[in-house]
């Protein structure tokens, strides 16, 4: 249903091996400082993947590299079976309509209302009549749990939690196959964060989304992530929490066995 | 993969089967929407919306199909979905939730109503703005009075630093621009007055206009653009970083710490800059007079001395501290009004410049009226 609608069938076949995102040997360097040194990562179709790591390990850089906001020094990135670095402009634009991104504080366009923000991608990519566009926008607004009145409001008039929901609505405007979330629950109170987790989970299930989320929130990791990608030693280790716990790496042990983790696991 | 969607209707006994096929996503829905809206069963038919052959379905497609069912129901037909795929049910769940909400009001008013609305709103805002600025003026005066009682509280280092920033650092631009205006004024004056054989009065024109008006007005406008905006941006950025709130929380009055030093510095520096601007303009004028009027420097100075009474100079300089005060007041006021985001800093900085140039010219006009009353 929310699969890429306009990719050619030949490419579909390659997508079907269940990896919608495939990173091989990605290297990111800032000056002399190497952040990623040969990162390999597969994101499977329909999973929720959490990305964790200490400060400065390049979680956001990794996300920005995948969505093409940053050119890596080396390596290949395939999204939905396409090498993102080998696309021409038209193909890159087309591919971008198949993913949605929620930036940390929503990154809503402040001069537009929430409804207009959601319509930006719709206007850019589709030929809907104004009436249908408004109806679709309303579906998105209610889908993320915003009251319909919020549609006419400007981002400045919304609370932080509502801005995130509005940002999510914009990310979902095109019914993308993949959604990237950058710290979706940061800055929310525990109840708001738990609600947002549930929202992501339920949307992921009903829309069949693949979700990649950078997060520090142990509760969200445990509640909604199928697998977790840990950035350590400039590389990525992926696995479920039990699998990761078997690894004998000090950072992983500290992260998943520290006092906060114990509280989150409820043990 | 089928990348087109279609819809067709066929009668089935007393029923009407509406069969949706293929892709129902944002990519195809623009064209399908019209067909769906056109469906109208004849009376008495029971409608079954068959989704068996739907391949891809997204929220937009689900919405259009759902809306068809609701429309038919409201028109009195019995309408139901048939063969909804398991993976599609979740979508309809969201759609139902949406339908239960009242319609979204995006406030598209009639243009005339919007015009009236905005005129009223802006006028009221202007009134509030005037009141707020007067209140700020009062608060500033009280703080200044308090600080002058105990001059130790004034931050002299800060004042001197601001004097450097708004005064010394502004000298190149003020000097260059007023010099050029002096050149232009003399050239144009000489060109016109030559027709009456009165070229020599170009010196009078230059001296009086520059000392009374042009020099100080040019300076004030440059400073409004340069320092008024800087005040707004500096204070505004501190506001965004919550530094101003931190000061208040520590019991420090931000007006005393941020506004007074800037204002005092500007008031002290502006007359000096005005004098400097006058001189630079006269030098420019003298240069042009020597070139185009064939005057010697000595003749120029003699003519100038005869033409310009001392009062002309004071009339110009007397305005300087008032302009300075207005620019500092408006700049700091707009800086403190910044709220929330970086975008607000930009907006308030622009407003500070526009308002301070406006105020400078209004004040200049008021001075002209006063001077003409008392006859100088």
């Amino acid at each position: 249903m929310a699969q890429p609608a306009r990719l050619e069938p030949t490419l579909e076949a390659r997508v079907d091996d269940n990896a919608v995102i495939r990173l091989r040997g990605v290297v990111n360097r800032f000056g002399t400082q190497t952040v990623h040194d040969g990162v390999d990562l597969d994101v499977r179709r329909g999973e929720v993947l959490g990305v964790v790591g200490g400060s400065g390990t390049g979680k956001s850089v990794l996300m920005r590299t995948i969505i093409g906001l940053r050119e890596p020094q080396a390596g290949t990135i395939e999204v939905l079976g396409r090498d993102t670095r080998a696309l021409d402009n038209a193909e890159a634009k087309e591919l971008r309509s198949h993913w949605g991104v929620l930036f940390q504080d929503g990154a809503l366009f402040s001069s537009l209302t929430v409804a207009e923000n959601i319509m930006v991608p719709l206007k850019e990519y589709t030929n809907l009549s104004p009436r249908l566009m408004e109806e679709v926008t309303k579906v998105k607004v209610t889908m993320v749990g915003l009251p319909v009145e919020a549609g006419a409001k400007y981002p400045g008039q919304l609370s932080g939690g509502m801005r995130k929901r509005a940002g999510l609505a914009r990310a979902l405007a095109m019914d993308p196959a993949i959604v990237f979330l950058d710290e979706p629950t940061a800055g929310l109170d525990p109840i708001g964060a738990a609600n947002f987790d549930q929202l992501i989970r339920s949307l992921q299930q009903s829309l069949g989304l693949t979700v990649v989320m950078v997060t520090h929130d142990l509760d969200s990791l445990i509640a909604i992530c199928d697998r977790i990608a840990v950035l350590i030693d400039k590389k990525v280790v992926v696995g479920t929490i039990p699998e990761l716990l078997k690894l004998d790496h000090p950072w992983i042990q500290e992260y998943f066995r520290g006092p906060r983790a114990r509280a989150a696991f409820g043990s | 993969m089928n990348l087109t969607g279609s819809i067709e209707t066929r009668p089935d006994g007393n029923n009407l089967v509406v069969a949706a096929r293929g892709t129902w996503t944002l990519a195809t829905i623009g064209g399908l929407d019209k067909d769906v809206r056109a469906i109208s069963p004849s009376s008495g038919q029971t409608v079954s919306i068959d989704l068996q052959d739907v391949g891809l379905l997204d929220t937009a497609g689900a919405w259009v199909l759902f809306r068809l069912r609701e429309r038919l129901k409201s028109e009195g037909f019995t309408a139901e979905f048939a063969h909804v795929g398991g993976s599609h049910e979740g979508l309809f769940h969201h759609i139902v939730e949406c339908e239960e909400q009242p319609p979204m009001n995006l406030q598209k008013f009639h243009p005339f109503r919007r015009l009236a609305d905005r005129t009223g709103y802006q006028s009221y805002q202007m009134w509030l703005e005037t009141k707020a600025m007067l209140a700020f003026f009062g608060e500033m005066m009280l703080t200044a009075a308090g600080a002058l009682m105990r001059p130790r509280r004034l931050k002299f280092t800060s004042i001197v630093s601001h004097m450097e920033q708004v005064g010394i650092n502004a000298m190149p631009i003020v000097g260059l621009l007023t010099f050029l205006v002096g050149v232009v004024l003399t050239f144009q004056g000489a060109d016109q007055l030559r027709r009456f054989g009165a070229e020599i009065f170009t010196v009078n024109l230059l001296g009086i206009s520059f000392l009374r008006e042009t020099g100080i007005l040019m300076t004030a406008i440059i400073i409004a653009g340069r320092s008024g905006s800087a005040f707004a941006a500096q204070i505004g950025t501190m506001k965004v970083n919550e530094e101003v709130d931190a000061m208040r929380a520590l019991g420090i009055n931000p007006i005393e710490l941020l506004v007074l030093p800037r204002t005092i510095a500007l008031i002290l520096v502006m007359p000096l800059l005005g004098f400097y601007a006058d001189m630079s303009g006269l030098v420019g004028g003298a240069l042009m007079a020597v070139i185009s009027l064939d005057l010697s420097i000595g003749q120029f100075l003699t003519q100038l001395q005869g033409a310009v009474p001392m009062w002309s100079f004071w009339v110009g300089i007397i305005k300087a501290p008032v302009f300075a005060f207005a620019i500092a007041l408006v700049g700091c006021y707009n800086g403190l009004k910044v709220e929330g985001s970086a975008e607000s800093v930009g907006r308030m900085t622009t407003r500070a410049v526009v308002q301070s140039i406006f105020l400078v010219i209004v004040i200049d006009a008021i001075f002209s009226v006063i001077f003409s009353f008392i006859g100088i």
Side-chain angles (χ1 to χ4, degrees), chain A residues 1-7 9 12 110 115 119 122 126-129 131-132 134-143 147-149 151-152 173-175 202-203 206-207, chain B residues 1-3 23 25-31 33 37 55-60 63-64 67 87-88 90-91 94-95 97-108 343:
Chain A
M1 78 193 113
Q3 287 159 345
R6 280 165 289 168
L7 293 185
E12 282 298 307
S110 52
M119 287 182 197
L122 293 176
T126 70
N127 58 346
L128 304 190
S129 65
R131 187 167 146 201
L132 183 59
E134 222 164 89
E135 290 166 351
V136 170
T137 305
K138 188 190 160 199
V139 173
K140 305 290 171 188
V141 168
T142 52
M143 200 161 82
V148 282
E149 304 88 71
M174 291 295 296
D175 275 277
S202 80
L203 289 174
S206 58
L207 305 178
Chain B
M1 186 170 296
N2 189 359
L3 292 182
T23 305
T25 64
L26 280 170
T28 60
I29 205 70
D33 187 38
R37 284 184 202 273
L56 296 175
L57 183 71
D58 69 2
T59 45
W63 162 256
V64 168
R67 197 192 52 201
S87 59
H88 296 161
L91 283 175
H94 289 298
I95 306 291
E97 272 178 4
C98 169
E99 184 59 19
E100 284 162 1
Q101 301 293 322
M104 194 162 62
N105 178 13
L106 293 182
Q107 288 181 335
K108 291 227 172 67
E343 185 217 355

Side-chain angles (χ1 to χ4, degrees), chain B residues 131-154:
Chain B
K131 276 208 311 194
M133 209 183 288
L134 282 174
F136 181 72
F137 174 70
E139 199 182 345
M140 196 169 140
M141 280 309 177
L142 282 179
T143 315
L148 290 177
M149 303 282 260
R150 283 168 299 163
R152 270 163 183 279
R153 295 195 60 89
L154 282 174

